[in-house]
Every structure is written in structure tokens, then in C-alpha cells.
Amino acid sequence: EKFDIVKKWGINTYKCTKQLLSERFGRGSRTVDLELETQIELLRETKRKYESVLHLARALTAHLYSLVQTQHALGDAFADLSQKSPELQEEFGYNAETQKLLCKNGETLLGAVNFFVSSINTLVNKTMEDTLMTVKQYETARLEYDAYRTDLEELSMGPRDAGAVSRLDAAQSQFQSHKDKYEKLRADVAIKLKFLEENKIKVMHKQLLLFHNAISAYFAGNQQQLEQTLKQFNIKLKTPGAEKPSWLEEQ
């Protein structure tokens, strides 16, 4: 049984390799679904662009985290000097309060950006990747389908003795099996691409609105709008002083 499995795998690999080489050197015909392949290429290009956005958003998170940490340390330094410098107590005091407020707003903004990063990461590395895994299965099935189609066509043009007829029947059966598999996966890919596009629009509509509102409120110094943005998207920040490290510390 194991020998038969290995033999079958070897024959399949040989046929597919032969088909692949004939396609690359322009000698063999290839089944092409132009509409589907255009959509697949568009998905791959979209994934590359979203990966770039994800990389930049993570870099922004790291920079903002460093800024918040610096503001926190600077606020502590100002507060300490306010107590030890009577002649500049007021000046150091309101600078300490300013840095404290900026630090709080920065942490709120980080909560929004981290939520944005998490959502884009899920979209790119789970949702899109899942669809591309099905695409890979489809592309393999397409190659197998063409390999067995070519094999059937070659046998059909040969002599029709008793042995040839038997081989032709076997080739016809194998071809039909691979054709069914190819058509099923082609339909699966078309459905997944459709649902992925709908999901992408839904997710990005929400995330881009969140990102815009949070960034605009932060740089406008609108603390109330910034906090309202997090409430709007049901984003909860870690409670300060919790035993577990905050998500800021886990980045």
C-alpha cells in the first residue's frame, strides 16, 4: 500500500513538473481564468501594501511609546524641581502638569493606534493569508488539471490497441477527478475573494475612521474628543498599576 502511494505521488509529481516546464518554455497550453487571476494578483498587491501600512503603524506606535515615556520622566523631573525650587515653584509646577496631561493623552492615543495595528494585523496575516492559502491549493489543482488534460490529449492521438484503450480509460478517469477538484477550488477561491473584499471594506472603514479621529484629536489637544473616540470604538485601556504588564510594555 505504501509503495502504491509513493508510486502514485511520483507519477503525479512527474506529470506536474513536465507540465510546469512546458508552460515556462512556451510549449504547453495553460488553462487561464483571466477574471479570477486578475483578482488574485490584485489581492497579492493589496496585501503587500497593507503590510507596508502595518509596518509603518507599528513604527509609529514605538515612537509614540518612547515620546510618552519621555514626557512621563520629564513631568516627574519638573514636579521634583517644583518642590525644591521655591523661586520657580509655579513655573516648574505648571510644566509638570502639562507633561502629565500630554502623557495621559499619549497613552490614550496609543490605545487607539494599537487597536488599529491589531485589526490590520488580523486582516493581513489571518484573513488575507487564509484566502491566499486557498489560492495556492487552487493553483496546484490547476497545474494538475492541465497535466492530466495534456496526458489525456496525447493518449487520444495515439494508436488504439487493447493496451492503449485501457490506458486511455484510466487517463480519462484521472482527468475527470482532477477537473472536479480544479473546478471546486476555483469556485472556493471566487467565493473567498468576494467575502474578503466585503470584509476588508468593512474593517478598513472602521479602522481608518478611528485612526483619523484619534490622531486629529490628539494633535488638536482635544482630550475630550480623544477619549470619546476610544468609547465610540469600545477600546479599553489597561488600568494603571495592574499586576500584568500593560500592552505598552508588551510591544
Side-chain angles (χ1 to χ4, degrees), residues 18 23 40-41 65 72 77 83 94 103 110 114 123 134 147 158 169 173 179 183-184 200 222 226-227 236 244:
K18 180 183 175 183
E23 288 176 7
I40 290 170
E41 186 53 40
Y65 175 64
H72 187 276
Q83 295 177 358
Y94 61 64
C103 187
L110 275 166
N114 187 66
L123 178 62
T134 306
D169 288 343
S173 176
K179 181 182 179 183
E183 290 179 345
K184 180 184 181 301
K200 183 192 73 175
N222 192 332
L226 185 57
E227 292 176 350
K236 295 181 180 180
K244 287 186 176 181

Side-chain angles (χ1 to χ4, degrees), residues 17-29:
T17 302
K18 180 183 175 183
Q19 176 65 26
L20 184 62
L21 291 173
S22 66
E23 288 176 7
R24 288 185 177 177
F25 288 105
R27 294 195 300 267
S29 62

Side-chain angles (χ1 to χ4, degrees), residues 21-212:
L21 291 173
S22 66
E23 288 176 7
R24 288 185 177 177
F25 288 105
R27 294 195 300 267
S29 62
R30 177 180 183 273
T31 301
V32 178
D33 186 326
L34 285 175
E35 182 180 357
L36 191 62
E37 293 195 12
T38 299
Q39 291 176 2
I40 290 170
E41 186 53 40
L42 180 60
L43 168 58
R44 287 183 170 131
E45 179 63 22
T46 299
K47 186 171 183 286
R48 284 192 289 269
K49 290 179 179 179
Y50 275 47
E51 284 172 338
S52 177
V53 169
L54 181 60
H55 174 75
L56 292 170
R58 281 174 170 157
L60 177 63
T61 301
H63 294 317
L64 285 172
Y65 175 64
S66 295
L67 175 62
V68 169
Q69 291 293 95
T70 302
Q71 288 171 333
H72 187 276
L74 190 57
D76 287 346
F78 283 150
D80 180 60
L81 285 167
S82 175
Q83 295 177 358
K84 297 176 181 178
S85 307
E87 69 284 2
L88 293 171
Q89 183 177 15
E90 184 178 349
E91 289 84 350
F92 276 127
Y94 61 64
N95 271 285
E97 286 301 314
T98 298
Q99 292 304 316
K100 183 178 179 181
L101 177 60
L102 288 172
C103 187
K104 181 181 178 182
N105 287 350
E107 288 177 344
T108 306
L109 176 62
L110 275 166
V113 176
N114 187 66
F115 185 76
F116 176 83
V117 167
S118 177
S119 298
I120 303 304
N121 180 62
T122 299
L123 178 62
V124 171
N125 293 313
K126 292 185 179 179
T127 311
M128 288 184 178
E129 189 59 33
D130 176 70
T131 301
L132 286 172
M133 286 297 292
T134 306
V135 167
K136 290 176 183 177
Q137 293 172 1
Y138 157 74
E139 290 174 338
T140 299
R142 194 283 307 164
L143 182 63
E144 290 176 343
Y145 164 71
D146 279 335
Y148 283 88
R149 174 184 56 78
T150 300
D151 190 47
L152 179 62
E153 289 171 353
E154 290 175 353
L155 285 172
S156 298
M157 292 185 292
R160 293 301 180 91
D161 55 40
V165 171
S166 176
R167 290 193 298 272
L168 187 61
D169 288 343
Q172 179 65 50
S173 176
Q174 290 175 331
F175 164 73
Q176 189 60 49
S177 175
H178 286 287
K179 181 182 179 183
D180 292 343
K181 180 181 177 182
Y182 163 70
E183 290 179 345
K184 180 184 181 301
L185 281 166
R186 180 173 62 180
D188 289 348
V189 169
I191 292 170
K192 283 202 172 188
L193 286 171
K194 179 177 181 293
F195 283 125
L196 173 62
E197 183 64 21
E198 293 173 355
N199 185 52
K200 183 192 73 175
I201 292 171
K202 182 180 178 181
V203 169
M204 292 309 298
H205 174 77
K206 176 180 178 179
Q207 294 305 318
L208 290 171
L209 184 62
L210 161 69
F211 193 82
H212 173 270

